[in-house]
Amino acid sequence: MTIDFKQPAAAADAAWQGDIRAGVRHVRDLAALPLSPAERAAAQEAAAGHKVRVPKPYLELIDWNDPDDPIRAQVVPSPAELVAADGELDDPIGDHEFSPAPRLTHRHADRVLLFPTYQCAVYCRFCFRKESLTSIGRGYTREALEPALAYIAGHPEIREVILTGGDPLSLPDKALAEIRARLEAIPHLRLLRIHTRVPVALPSRVTPGLVEALQGRLMVTVVTHFNHAREITQATEAACRAMRQAGFVLLNQSVLLKGVNDRVDVLEELCRELMYRLGVKPYYLHHGDLARGMAHRRTTIAEGQALVAELRRRLSGICNPTYVIDLPDGGGKVPLAASHIEGRNGDAWLIRGQDGKARVYREVVS
Ligand SMILES: *Cc1c(COP(=O)(O)O)cnc(C)c1O
Ligand code: SF4
């Protein structure tokens, strides 16, 4: 399925609206799918903790003959997610601790997270904000953003606004254009960043109208969320091309998930195809957050370090993401890759090369 960017606006909108209608919109729609008895039994209870929603283009990527299909694993509720482990958290990365206004998180001086909606086009079982999506569960209204916009206007150190959620691209074009215009009117802002799974799960939503709604004075960066090379299709390619042609900078963040992408060949193909086929730079590979009921999808940090060390050997610099952990209690994102520095004696550093052999590097400064 491809997107025709020359089609009239109404037809472009009918296409993505049809993709939503023909997908899973509610837990009861799962009844029509060939789930395992265990998945069927878990669905209702799991949906109470985190909504179920899968647009048709994403649903069509699932190979139902494979019980361990990596696409299915991301969106079909599993009995394993009903098991909460000790140490798991409702707010795994401390969004709420640094919230000076409703729908705003300000942890780093120059950038803020703005939550225009807590709804998504697809609901991912591993979502680290699933408690917020369920307990807050509100959509966009103009009034809800006023305190956050006033805060941003009053803080000239903020240069970058990150629309996240929820999924900001699940909003109508009109709402996006309105938010963009309000932000543009704040003179110290330079960049508008959008964190979204829409180009992955509902690529037909990336219409000329949506692209136009985001274009204006601010530099626009769209951070997509592909986790597996099977998510890269003709339709996602067309969506990314449209955004690149509009001048948006495209980056991707992935979550390292056991049984989905925790093999080096899977990550290698994902990162290579993101860069070479979609023109999307792999930005972050997130270590699995401590979201509740997700122990079955988490890898160890040592496993993640071994994977990214091998990726570094196999892929060019621009295809490599930074492996990070988002620390609880607002510690922020910090790199996790194993250090190549083995030791130091004054100006002599012992540094392990990409070939695994350590070398002495002597610093020379005047
Ligand atoms: C992830 C995050 C950001 C963005 O961090 P970058 O490293 O710039 O991508 C900003 N604020 C908060 C609170 C975050 O969690
Ligand atoms: S699209 Fe993002 S915010 Fe929404 S459920 Fe998936 S990971 Fe969570």
Side-chain angles (χ1 to χ4, degrees):
M1 189 198 59
T2 52
I3 303 165
D4 178 5
F5 281 93
K6 294 188 184 70
Q7 68 192 336
D13 286 335
W16 65 262
Q17 286 159 359
D19 280 343
I20 291 177
R21 266 197 307 277
V24 169
R25 284 182 293 173
H26 188 272
V27 62
R28 67 174 167 263
D29 298 334
L30 291 173
L33 299 174
L35 303 190
S36 71
E39 283 171 326
R40 245 178 244 297
Q44 202 71 37
E45 201 180 330
H50 183 37
K51 281 181 270 191
V52 176
R53 183 179 291 170
V54 195
K56 176 166 154 262
Y58 200 76
L59 207 56
E60 283 177 340
L61 299 177
I62 297 175
D63 172 5
W64 292 104
N65 295 317
D66 178 6
D68 300 319
D69 179 77
I71 309 299
R72 174 185 190 150
Q74 294 184 58
V75 292
V76 174
S78 143
E81 70 186 73
L82 302 174
V83 184
D86 278 351
E88 293 182 330
L89 303 166
D90 282 344
D91 179 18
I93 70 165
D95 279 335
H96 302 318
E97 273 174 64
F98 295 84
S99 180
R103 294 177 177 242
L104 192 75
T105 296
H106 191 192
R107 185 159 68 199
H108 307 288
D110 64 344
R111 54 210 192 276
V112 290
L113 304 182
L114 182 63
F115 302 82
T117 176
Y118 289 94
Q119 287 158 2
C120 301
V122 61
Y123 288 107
C124 318
R125 303 323 296 170
F126 52 85
C127 179
F128 66 104
R129 291 224 175 89
K130 64 179 178 180
E131 307 292 332
S132 303
L133 305 187
T134 307
S135 61
I136 304 172
R138 287 181 308 233
Y140 168 76
T141 64
R142 202 173 293 158
E143 300 70 46
L145 291 187
E146 291 303 335
L149 290 169
Y151 178 92
I152 295 168
H155 288 260
E157 71 275 22
I158 300 170
R159 290 190 280 261
E160 188 171 326
V161 172
I162 302 166
L163 300 185
T164 183
D167 196 320
L169 297 191
S170 66
L171 292 173
D173 297 348
K174 214 169 135 243
L176 289 167
E178 192 169 275
I179 295 166
R180 196 244 318 141
R182 291 294 302 277
L183 294 172
E184 269 178 0
I186 301 174
H188 50 267
L189 292 184
R190 309 285 302 279
L191 187 142
L192 173 63
R193 196 199 309 189
I194 292 151
H195 285 187
T196 177
R197 274 213 105 180
V198 160
V200 182
L202 186 62
S204 50
R205 175 67 190 95
V206 182
T207 59
L210 178 128
V211 168
E212 197 188 315
L214 299 174
Q215 277 176 313
R217 172 181 80 78
L218 298 168
M219 178 62 69
V220 176
T221 297
V222 175
V223 184
T224 59
H225 179 172
F226 289 86
N227 287 326
H228 195 285
R230 287 241 318 271
E231 296 169 338
I232 299 174
T233 61
Q234 274 193 330
T236 56
E237 191 182 334
C240 290
R241 188 182 312 116
M243 294 190 289
R244 277 191 293 110
Q245 285 174 345
F248 302 169
V249 174
L250 301 191
L251 303 171
N252 184 71
Q253 46 188 351
S254 301
V255 182
L256 181 57
L257 295 165
K258 194 154 132 188
V260 173
N261 58 14
D262 64 331
R263 291 200 341 251
V264 70
D265 53 326
V266 170
L267 286 176
E268 181 187 0
E269 189 188 3
L270 168 66
C271 294
R272 183 183 288 135
E273 295 308 305
L274 279 169
M275 193 68 237
Y276 294 167
R277 182 169 171 195
L278 300 185
V280 175
K281 158 89 185 94
Y283 177 42
Y284 282 142
L285 174 65
H286 291 268
H287 185 69
D289 299 285
L290 291 170
R292 283 202 200 284
M294 278 299 126
H296 64 294
R297 292 273 167 235
R298 247 173 256 129
T299 67
T300 66
I301 291 174
E303 285 163 345
Q305 288 179 320
L307 285 168
V308 297
E310 185 55 28
L311 273 191
R312 183 84 198 140
R313 278 186 282 272
R314 293 191 188 186
L315 290 172
S316 88
I318 55 168
C319 294
N320 267 282
T322 304
Y323 178 40
V324 291
I325 189 165
D326 220 315
L327 290 171
D329 305 319
K333 289 186 219 8
V334 292
L336 277 185
S339 173
H340 279 248
I341 300 170
E342 307 264 304
R344 175 186 179 180
N345 188 354
D347 61 5
W349 294 73
L350 191 63
I351 304 176
R352 191 165 31 84
Q354 285 201 355
D355 57 5
K357 289 190 212 127
R359 290 163 175 79
V360 176
Y361 175 89
R362 205 168 286 281
E363 286 178 304
V364 180
V365 291
S366 61

